[in-house]
Amino acid sequence: MPETAANVTSRFNAAELSFDDFQKIVINDYRIAYESRQASILGRREVLTGKAKFGIFGDGKEVAQLAMAKAFRQGDWRAGYYRDQTFMFATGMSNLNEFFAQLYAHPDIAKDPASGGRQMNCHYATRYINADGSWANQVETLNCSADISTTGGHMPRLLGLAYASKLYRQNKELEYLKQFSVNGNEVAFGTIGNGATSEGLFFETFNAAGVLQVPMAISIWDDAYAISVPAKLQTTKEDISEILKGFQREPGTNGYEIFKVRGWDYVALCETYERAIELCRTEHVPVLIHVTEMTQPQGHSTSGSHERYKSKDRLAWENEHDCLLQMRKWMIESAISTDEELDELEATAKKFVRDCQKEAWNNLQNEVDVDLQEVAVLIEELAKESEVSSSLTAIITELKSLVDPGRKDAVSAGRKALRLTAKEKLYSRQALINWLKSEEEKNNERFNSKLFSGSINSPLNVPVVPAEYDADAKFLDGREVLNACFDANFDRDKTIVAFGEDVGAIGDVNQGFAGLQSKYTDLRITDTGIREATIIGQGLGLAIRGLRPIAEIQYLDYLLYGVTVLSDDLATLSYRTRGGQKAPVIVRTRGHRLEGIWHSGSPMGMLLGSMRGIHICVPRNMTQAAGMYNTLLRGDEPALVIESLNGYRLKEKLPSNVGEFTVPLGEAEVLLEGSDITVVSYGSTLRIVEEAAGELAKLGISIEIIDPQTLFPFDNSKVCLGSLKKTNKLLVVDEDMPGGGSAYILQKILEEQKGYFHLDAQPRTLPAKEHRPPYGTDGDYFSKPSPDDVVEAVYAIMHEANPTKFPDLF
Ligand SMILES: Cc1ncc(C[n+]2csc(CCOP(=O)(O)OP(=O)(O)O)c2C)c(N)n1
Ligand SMILES: [Mg+2]
């Protein structure tokens, strides 16, 4: 990066500050803010001229972010949104080269450490995972959790980041974790737009932090608009801090300290942030800083112009209240600087930003040029030998004529050339094929890698420890097996915490944690409000900060309220930072079969489709669930565990190593060997299939039952395929809707495992009906697969294969 003066902002240390020092700090701040503005202006131009795809910038929000940066300390965390470039520059967590590298989507973490070219511009993250997947020290760095694009979607994570400080301060057993906290002094800084405060996630987070009393500092950047929608259509009374006044703490109550300050008033902003954050840090009181009168000099984003929806008066007001203009005016009035000095500073800054932009563009373009030249040479070689040389030369000509070509153009040209010469036996084709293969590998790494941490600590690398049983092993209720597993793990690892609705005092509605709060304290086994999204967010923040949360969602049906956070945030975390961040949250829930429209859901297709990046475990009983928890709690990747609601009171044998044995992820088990047909099922329907097996045996049909145990990953050892080779017939049974989880399983077995090759009859699925199941036993029977349904579905497949031996039943 080109050289510049002090890159980051400095604090005003009142005791020692001379006017000279003060002046230097202010002028440096102005330079940072001005460079940031230039980056916005240039960034927008780069999009409009086609060099970058999309641009959203922090212009109009600069001055407040200088003030926020001054209050940000080592060990602190940010969870914010796309307007925060000035804050990122002023703290040194990002810089102009990285800013432009991300704008151009440079797929290299050395250039764009936040996302390795994967995220839109102004989506920030610092890397807290070392290259080997281990944790970096978080107390010696400034920390930024990875942004997401959904407005308000980061709020639940913010709560978790702040909540971690509370646990680190209050739970003395955690003092040994020196690389994660210093006495819980870390503040979690959140930023959000005024419009996004209309989101439920904002209000849920806001209330939860007030209840929990955590060091969370929310800044609302209020520019009175959310794209084109003005405040009067967004916010009651058009004023978010006004309507949140009820949260203000009073003597004897919990609550917030609420501050309101104008976004162009540098002095007031610096004072406000210093006061607010000091309070937040020392007293663990959440604070709200409502920053009003902000502007958008260039409008919302590159997708449109704000002249379309803002009045002339508003635009004029925005011009006048531009925070840089106001800061400059104040600096001159206060004799901190002169017009001439600032003109010169601005001219230098402009050139500096331009240099950074050019450098970032050239860095990427030079890499792309190598690809383009390599493929052109290979195609030229091909053209020398081929019958279609003129078409091949045309590909090269086209390639060379492209304005701002990318890697895809090089690869696509190579693929086209191979298609054109498919029928020719040419020596030079092999060289091109080899090149494409090596590019594929590199591009997979660039664009498709790191869905999971994939580190040596991945749960997939946790050693398999079989369950052991004493000769006189007790038979207990399933919930008691789980309880013993949790007890052993809480004793073993002080970083494990569990929380959720009714998890604390009563030990969850099915008593998996019964008695554990009194044993391990309410800091480790904790009740929460009814707030699924922030329960997940709490897990995310804690896991990011080195703790091992089990975030409990009372029933699978209520997981929907947390799916936004699971899908947008947790599932994408490793991918969107290209392995720079991780959050090994375990989400515990229970579902499938019970009764009622909202108490028996099994929306596996929805989960499988929305949260790749999270392991999905579907244990058939509580012993298997315990083994999965033992695996997951020793690994570093997130997972969802869905226990079977109707299994808690079934008797299971207690393993003697209940806290140690592990169930590996992605390893299917054959529960019953058979020869005629393979039946794949998971969770509670396995008991239905097992029941049907007896009756089918009486009909002369031998079924092989396979439990994949985890849906994602799915049957890594291809146990299903092995079974199909023997039986040549396949039925998949589950409780999801048609085309949901069972369709996913079919795709895995038929397409990925190539099971289609071994089929003698049409493969079938036996899912539930298309509506949610009604309440009552009859409702269940007529909506979800029953043993009768399984018997008949299996029989129908046998009938298709051999109608003589298996005539129509009816
Ligand atoms: C969940 C979600 N809904 C809608 C959008 C589309 N969107 C992007 S920015 C934006 C406006 C946000 O306004 P505000 O929160 O005031 O922030 P500002 O951009 O004004 O700083 C909208 C509607 C989104 N990204 N995410
Ligand atoms: Mg706004």
Side-chain angles (χ1 to χ4, degrees):
M1 176 155 148
E3 277 306 309
T4 176
N7 278 323
V8 298
T9 189
S10 308
R11 277 181 255 162
F12 297 119
N13 187 334
E16 296 160 20
L17 202 67
S18 66
F19 182 75
D20 264 11
D21 291 339
F22 173 73
Q23 193 179 29
K24 273 193 198 124
I25 293 173
V26 175
I27 292 174
N28 192 47
D29 277 356
Y30 183 75
R31 183 189 52 75
I32 293 170
Y34 191 84
E35 283 176 0
S36 174
R37 175 67 59 87
Q38 288 306 307
S40 301
I41 292 169
L42 203 50
R44 182 178 172 86
R45 203 178 306 156
E46 289 301 279
V47 175
L48 298 183
T49 56
K51 282 208 180 87
K53 279 238 146 165
F54 173 75
I56 191 151
F57 303 101
D59 45 314
K61 316 284 189 289
E62 291 94 344
V63 173
Q65 293 181 24
L66 296 170
M68 185 165 100
K70 285 184 198 298
F72 199 76
R73 303 272 184 279
Q74 284 187 345
D76 283 349
W77 284 86
R78 168 188 172 274
Y81 81 120
Y82 49 77
R83 297 286 183 216
D84 290 350
Q85 73 203 45
T86 313
F87 172 76
M88 294 302 291
F89 299 155
T91 53
M93 285 193 286
S94 185
N95 60 42
L96 287 160
N97 259 20
E98 291 171 6
F99 171 93
F100 285 110
Q102 190 178 48
L103 183 71
Y104 298 133
H106 197 144
D108 180 351
I109 53 171
K111 299 292 188 293
D112 168 23
S115 75
R118 291 179 180 184
Q119 288 234 62
M120 276 178 168
N121 78 308
C122 287
H123 284 53
Y124 294 104
T126 49
R127 304 184 77 77
Y128 58 74
I129 302 302
N130 298 319
D132 66 356
S134 60
W135 297 101
N137 182 313
Q138 299 180 351
V139 297
E140 291 170 359
T141 49
L142 308 177
N143 305 295
C144 172
S145 63
D147 291 1
I148 56 179
S149 301
T150 42
T151 50
H154 56 297
M155 285 286 114
R157 168 172 21 103
L158 174 67
L159 178 73
L161 292 169
Y163 183 62
S165 288
K166 174 171 173 161
L167 293 187
Y168 279 119
R169 184 171 288 182
Q170 296 192 3
N171 182 356
K172 298 299 168 203
E173 284 185 337
L174 299 175
E175 269 173 11
Y176 74 98
L177 291 166
K178 304 272 182 234
Q179 80 268 38
F180 292 107
S181 177
V182 179
N183 190 35
N185 290 340
E186 304 77 22
V187 172
F189 287 70
T191 64
I192 185 167
N194 57 296
T197 64
S198 307
E199 296 276 12
L201 293 182
F202 171 79
F203 283 97
E204 187 177 314
T205 301
F206 205 78
N207 175 57
V211 170
L212 292 172
Q213 291 294 284
V214 289
M216 180 177 98
I218 298 189
S219 295
I220 298 173
W221 304 148
D222 190 346
D223 55 18
Y225 279 84
I227 311 184
S228 64
V229 181
K232 79 167 187 271
L233 301 178
Q234 286 286 355
T235 308
T236 308
K237 300 185 182 180
E238 301 184 39
D239 187 331
I240 186 71
S241 58
E242 181 64 25
I243 58 168
L244 291 175
K245 269 187 175 162
F247 284 86
Q248 172 65 49
R249 69 176 178 161
E250 286 162 10
T253 74
N254 60 13
Y256 277 74
E257 280 301 326
I258 298 177
F259 300 83
K260 193 173 195 172
V261 56
R262 287 177 301 203
W264 47 263
D265 189 342
Y266 176 78
V267 175
L269 282 160
C270 290
E271 284 169 2
T272 303
Y273 271 93
E274 195 180 326
R275 204 148 47 90
I277 303 304
E278 176 67 14
L279 186 69
C280 185
R281 194 183 302 283
T282 51
E283 292 186 32
H284 275 198
V285 181
V287 297
L288 170 69
I289 302 144
H290 182 196
V291 183
T292 61
E293 301 195 14
M294 288 184 139
T295 66
Q296 295 178 326
Q298 302 190 107
H300 174 77
S301 71
T302 51
S303 312
S305 101
H306 59 154
E307 284 81 8
R308 274 187 303 159
Y309 48 79
K310 284 181 186 162
S311 69
K312 282 208 168 68
D313 284 352
R314 170 74 198 181
L315 289 167
W317 181 91
E318 289 201 19
N319 276 338
E320 194 191 327
H321 290 84
D322 184 312
C323 60
L324 285 193
L325 197 72
Q326 291 291 333
M327 184 172 173
R328 189 184 152 123
K329 217 163 90 184
W330 167 77
M331 286 166 73
I332 292 166
E333 281 165 12
S334 323
I336 293 168
S337 192
T338 61
D339 263 326
E340 297 70 43
E341 275 169 7
L342 290 180
D343 284 349
E344 194 188 327
L345 178 152
E346 290 178 1
T348 313
K350 225 179 229 177
K351 180 175 177 312
F352 173 65
V353 175
R354 182 89 185 136
D355 289 348
C356 291
Q357 174 260 318
K358 277 192 201 141
E359 190 175 318
W361 174 254
N362 291 337
N363 284 340
L364 177 59
Q365 224 40 50
N366 291 343
E367 286 180 21
V368 173
D369 281 348
V370 172
D371 284 12
L372 293 166
Q373 279 159 19
E374 283 178 359
V375 79
V377 168
L378 290 164
I379 298 173
E380 265 162 29
E381 288 302 309
L382 203 55
K384 284 182 197 159
E385 295 185 280
S386 167
E387 293 164 3
V388 292
S389 64
S390 60
S391 308
L392 292 169
T393 329
I395 295 178
I396 302 171
T397 313
E398 198 190 321
L399 203 57
K400 290 189 172 157
S401 71
L402 291 176
V403 179
D404 302 332
R407 283 194 165 87
K408 79 166 185 49
D409 297 303
V411 168
S412 180
R415 293 166 79 173
K416 258 187 225 147
L418 281 187
R419 291 200 292 272
L420 279 172
T421 55
K423 292 192 178 138
E424 296 183 84
K425 289 212 172 357
L426 303 176
Y427 185 70
S428 49
R429 285 188 93 240
Q430 194 55 47
L432 183 54
I433 291 169
N434 292 348
W435 182 84
L436 278 171
K437 277 194 183 144
S438 107
E439 285 305 297
E440 189 182 0
E441 227 170 83
K442 288 188 232 163
N443 285 324
N444 274 342
E445 187 54 36
R446 285 183 189 120
F447 301 108
N448 312 113
S449 62
K450 292 287 180 189
L451 185 57
F452 287 95
S453 85
S455 77
I456 46 163
N457 298 317
S458 156
L460 298 174
N461 295 326
V462 170
V464 180
V465 178
E468 288 166 9
Y469 295 93
D470 294 337
D472 58 347
K474 283 186 275 186
F475 276 87
L476 302 177
D477 283 354
R479 68 181 174 83
E480 294 174 295
V481 173
L482 269 182
N483 188 267
C485 162
F486 290 138
D487 192 1
N489 279 292
F490 270 77
D491 188 44
R492 174 183 66 82
D493 183 348
K494 307 297 175 216
T495 65
I496 300 175
V497 290
F499 47 86
E501 298 151 22
D502 303 293
V503 165
I506 65 166
D508 91 49
V509 286
N510 295 88
Q511 296 182 300
F513 290 110
L516 299 187
Q517 187 184 66
S518 52
K519 192 164 175 186
Y520 296 105
T521 81
D522 61 358
L523 288 172
R524 295 189 64 192
I525 319 265
T526 315
D527 280 320
T528 68
I530 308 173
R531 48 177 181 78
E532 287 75 15
T534 48
I535 289 173
I536 306 292
Q538 222 169 313
L540 243 165
L542 293 184
I544 287 171
R545 295 191 59 192
L547 298 173
R548 294 310 316 261
I550 300 174
E552 176 164 321
I553 301 296
Q554 201 156 72
Y555 291 95
L556 179 53
D557 303 74
Y558 314 146
L559 191 70
L560 258 87
Y561 281 51
V563 162
T564 37
V565 189
L566 284 168
S567 180
D568 284 343
D569 203 342
L570 182 58
T572 64
L573 183 65
S574 176
Y575 178 80
R576 74 180 190 266
T577 57
R578 200 161 152 189
Q581 300 198 354
K582 65 178 175 182
V585 185
I586 298 173
V587 179
R588 177 188 186 218
T589 189
R590 51 191 71 86
H592 310 313
R593 181 163 299 246
L594 196 72
E595 276 171 7
I597 293 177
W598 285 276
H599 294 84
S600 50
S602 191
M604 303 310 300
M606 177 186 77
L607 304 182
L608 286 160
S610 64
M611 51 188 71
R612 302 291 168 97
I614 299 174
H615 298 297
I616 299 185
C617 306
V618 281
R620 64 181 175 271
N621 59 33
M622 301 310 152
T623 308
Q624 293 311 103
M628 290 175 192
Y629 287 119
N630 288 335
T631 303
L632 294 167
L633 287 167
R634 288 164 175 80
D636 72 350
E637 292 170 357
L640 169 67
V641 181
I642 302 168
E643 296 162 15
S644 292
L645 240 177
N646 60 2
Y648 292 109
R649 292 187 184 278
L650 301 176
K651 295 290 179 200
E652 296 182 30
K653 209 158 57 155
L654 179 71
S656 56
N657 56 349
V658 69
E660 304 296 323
F661 80 99
T662 57
V663 169
L665 306 187
E667 295 303 321
E669 248 184 37
V670 177
L671 300 187
L672 177 70
E673 289 198 18
S675 51
D676 292 326
I677 178 168
T678 302
V679 182
V680 179
S681 189
Y682 58 90
S684 13
T685 42
L686 277 169
R687 281 189 282 280
I688 308 282
V689 174
E690 281 174 326
E691 214 180 311
E695 194 162 329
L696 284 160
K698 287 183 209 149
L699 290 167
I701 300 170
S702 156
I703 69 171
E704 179 143 303
I705 305 176
I706 298 179
D707 176 9
Q709 305 211 76
T710 61
L711 293 181
F712 190 63
F714 182 86
D715 186 14
N716 287 337
S717 306
K718 300 190 181 171
V719 173
C720 294
L721 178 69
S723 175
L724 266 195
K725 285 182 184 167
K726 178 170 67 174
T727 66
N728 311 113
K729 297 174 214 70
L730 176 64
L731 175 70
V732 179
V733 182
D734 81 353
E735 302 184 6
D736 196 1
M737 299 202 181
S742 59
Y744 164 86
I745 293 175
L746 270 193
Q747 185 261 338
K748 287 279 174 192
I749 301 175
L750 299 185
E751 188 180 73
E752 280 189 23
Q753 300 190 356
K754 298 196 173 22
Y756 75 95
F757 195 71
H758 304 281
L759 287 175
D760 280 350
Q762 184 202 333
R764 295 192 190 202
T765 60
L766 176 60
K769 293 281 194 292
E770 277 182 325
H771 52 78
R772 295 187 184 203
Y775 167 74
T777 309
D778 285 349
D780 180 80
Y781 178 86
F782 289 106
S783 308
K784 293 221 164 189
S786 66
D788 291 334
D789 296 328
V790 175
V791 169
E792 286 170 15
V794 167
Y795 191 92
I797 296 173
M798 297 306 290
H799 168 76
E800 185 196 332
N802 189 345
T804 321
K805 190 165 172 201
F806 300 103
D808 272 331
L809 281 179
F810 53 85

